Amino acid sequence: MANEFKVTPWTVTGNVDYEKLTKEFGTEPLTDEILNRIKRHTKELHVLLRRKVFFSHRDMKWLLDEYEKGNKFFLYTGRGPSGPVHIGHLIPWIFTRWLQEKFDAELWFQFTDDEKFLFRKKDEVGIGEYTKIAYENALDVIALGFNPKKTHFLIDSLPETAGMMYKEAIRIADKITASTAKAAFGFDDSYSIGQFFYTAMQAVPAILPSALKGVNIPCLIPLGVDQDPHFRVARDVYTKLGFYKPALIHAKFMAGLLADGKMSASIPNSTIYTTDSPKEVEEKIKKHAFSGGRTSLEEHRKYGGNPDIDVCYQWLYNFFEPDDKKLAKIYDDYKSGKMLTSELKDYTIAKINAFLKEHQKKREKAKSQIEKFLFKA
Ligand code: TYM
């Protein structure tokens, strides 16, 4: 049977074939040529670039051309505050922080409490619940080390943000037909008009600094590839309104603990949250992490394991073991049967818990910093 997968901003299912997705979405592969151009400015490549976790883009060549002409860009990314943040969400944000530092760029970060209200599954929850979650999630973003002087948080439903964004959102919404939204997102007539409108809100921050300053500024959006369709729909609209199209750089998904699919907050057993205790991380990984090991110790020693399908190995590869030599040794030892599944799991648990220990400390500190990050007109 053909490998069926689906990627929309609200649903990711199946085993994603990223090459096929690049063609389907009409994006471009992130080639070595572009990586080398980035490296010329940053001196080194972030592990997420080296390992091709970021794998695809739109208009990166244009963005770099502009940068090399002295036309600096700003960064834009975001979070839909539906619940606690998991370690998969951190992937685009960690990379964004690195870009902020290397390119000395401003960042606009959008928290879409309106989106989560409009796409919620339970009727009884009011928008204020999602606004509260946005403040909680903001702590995780701050904990990653963004520069408060150059970072602006937008929480969509807050009056100041909403008032500022609405003028641009209606101009964008005016140019997107219902049939375009249906084709891009798979909506049908049962979707609310709020859901149809929402894309306009996510499109706004890519032009907001340009609109506020009255001068066009290039924009780069690092994001998980599931969020690409919003910007695909908005691309032509930006130019119709006299703005640049933003450049995009897309990440693959960090796998969930289970055999299939991305880490997703709606499947708790698939997920390590940033607030999990060391014990919880240990238990989840020991109990649920899909392994490429053999069924018995004898078989594992004799035939070896399969790192390519092992979730712990994937996480080390993605981000948690940046040392290429150590990673290669783990790969070889696991494949040959010298390293056991329990050893690979223990190694990964230690890496993730060390990361989370630091993250949680910074997250606590962030509680007194949040005001510095909220955008004020
Ligand atoms: P949200 O909250 O679903 O996800 C936040 C960011 O995390 C990415 N992501 C992942 N990346 C790697 N591995 C995973 N398992 C994983 N799961 C999620 C998402 O692609 C996203 O980049 N509508 C958006 C919020 C938003 C936004 C934006 C995102 C508003 N403006 C601009 C990107 C760019 C949302 O609900 O993201």
Side-chain angles (χ1 to χ4, degrees):
M1 203 182 89
N3 171 23
E4 301 263 343
F5 64 89
K6 186 174 164 195
V7 178
T8 80
W10 301 283
T11 322
V12 178
T13 51
N15 207 346
V16 181
D17 176 338
Y18 289 101
E19 221 180 289
K20 205 162 155 197
L21 191 67
T22 306
K23 290 197 187 109
E24 236 172 63
F25 278 12
T27 66
E28 288 181 61
L30 196 64
T31 58
D32 287 341
E33 187 192 333
I34 295 177
L35 293 184
N36 285 334
R37 269 186 87 182
I38 295 174
K39 195 174 169 187
R40 247 185 274 149
H41 302 291
T42 59
K43 309 289 180 260
E44 50 169 18
L45 282 183
H46 195 277
V47 63
L48 293 165
L49 289 176
R50 268 197 289 127
R51 303 253 170 97
K52 301 261 164 98
V53 174
F54 281 85
F55 72 104
S56 143
H57 75 98
R58 292 182 189 272
D59 286 332
M60 275 305 287
K61 287 179 195 155
W62 163 79
L63 187 91
L64 289 164
D65 285 346
E66 289 298 316
Y67 184 75
E68 285 160 14
K69 282 189 254 167
N71 200 5
K72 283 182 70 168
F73 57 85
F74 71 93
L75 295 158
Y76 159 43
T77 195
R79 159 73 179 147
S82 51
V85 163
H86 62 61
I87 56 175
H89 295 127
L90 300 184
I91 293 284
W93 307 343
I94 287 170
F95 181 58
T96 303
R97 199 212 71 92
W98 181 81
L99 289 171
Q100 176 172 70
E101 184 190 321
K102 295 291 173 186
F103 289 95
D104 189 30
E106 290 225 345
L107 165 67
W108 291 72
F109 195 109
Q110 181 183 34
F111 294 91
T112 56
D113 52 351
D114 53 347
E115 174 190 14
K116 292 299 135 178
F117 172 72
L118 289 166
F119 287 85
R120 76 200 180 286
K121 300 214 169 66
K122 289 185 236 96
D123 271 344
E124 67 275 16
V125 182
I127 189 165
E129 289 305 309
Y130 298 101
T131 316
K132 274 191 217 148
I133 301 173
Y135 281 104
E136 275 296 310
N137 291 177
L139 302 177
D140 286 289
V141 179
I142 294 170
L144 297 175
F146 289 100
N147 178 350
K149 292 205 179 81
K150 290 191 163 252
T151 304
H152 312 291
F153 286 177
L154 302 166
I155 300 181
D156 282 356
S157 78
L158 295 187
E160 234 174 301
T161 306
M164 182 174 60
M165 288 180 61
Y166 187 66
K167 242 170 53 186
E168 301 309 324
I170 50 167
R171 295 213 298 152
I172 293 171
D174 180 47
K175 301 226 171 318
I176 300 174
T177 63
S179 69
T180 299
K182 285 182 183 177
F185 303 124
F187 292 172
D188 59 34
D189 287 346
S190 71
Y191 280 71
S192 75
I193 55 173
Q195 289 171 320
F196 273 83
F197 178 75
Y198 168 70
T199 284
M201 286 300 282
Q202 184 152 332
V204 169
I207 54 163
L208 191 60
S210 303
L212 291 175
K213 291 190 183 128
V215 40
N216 270 347
I217 312 168
C219 170
L220 170 60
I221 311 179
L223 73 178
V225 67
D226 57 325
Q227 297 297 316
D228 179 80
H230 288 298
F231 300 103
R232 188 165 73 233
V233 164
R235 289 183 84 60
D236 294 337
V237 178
Y238 291 127
T239 35
K240 280 185 199 152
L241 297 178
F243 295 104
Y244 291 138
K245 293 177 187 177
L248 279 78
I249 185 161
H250 307 101
K252 293 180 186 167
F253 304 115
M254 181 175 262
L257 285 152
L258 311 176
D260 247 347
K262 79 167 185 123
M263 185 171 289
S264 164
S266 54
I267 313 169
N269 279 345
S270 81
T271 302
I272 307 265
Y273 298 105
T274 59
T275 46
D276 280 350
S277 69
K279 195 93 211 109
E280 281 169 319
V281 170
E282 183 180 343
E283 276 171 14
K284 283 185 190 177
I285 291 182
K286 287 197 168 156
K287 209 161 157 189
H288 299 294
F290 183 75
S291 138
R294 299 276 174 175
T295 42
S296 75
L297 195 114
E298 292 72 36
E299 276 200 22
H300 189 88
R301 290 277 189 226
K302 195 163 163 195
Y303 302 113
N306 183 357
D308 296 316
I309 59 163
D310 189 287
V311 166
C312 283
Y313 179 79
Q314 294 312 312
W315 290 353
L316 296 176
Y317 179 90
N318 283 162
F319 178 68
F320 288 101
E321 183 45 273
D323 185 322
D324 291 343
K325 277 199 195 124
K326 284 189 190 159
L327 187 75
K329 186 162 163 36
I330 291 169
Y331 187 92
D332 293 342
D333 286 353
Y334 195 58
K335 210 173 165 99
S336 71
K338 192 170 158 196
M339 187 179 213
L340 300 176
T341 298
S342 56
E343 291 168 329
L344 178 58
K345 285 194 172 184
D346 284 344
Y347 190 91
T348 309
I349 291 164
K351 283 279 175 187
I352 292 183
N353 277 338
F355 173 86
L356 288 183
K357 192 174 169 201
E358 278 310 299
H359 184 80
Q360 287 166 6
K361 255 196 252 159
K362 292 179 190 148
R363 198 177 179 282
E364 251 330 283
K365 271 202 193 143
K367 289 182 180 163
S368 61
Q369 294 174 293
I370 198 153
E371 278 302 315
K372 284 196 265 179
F373 285 86
L374 287 175
F375 181 75
K376 294 181 192 71

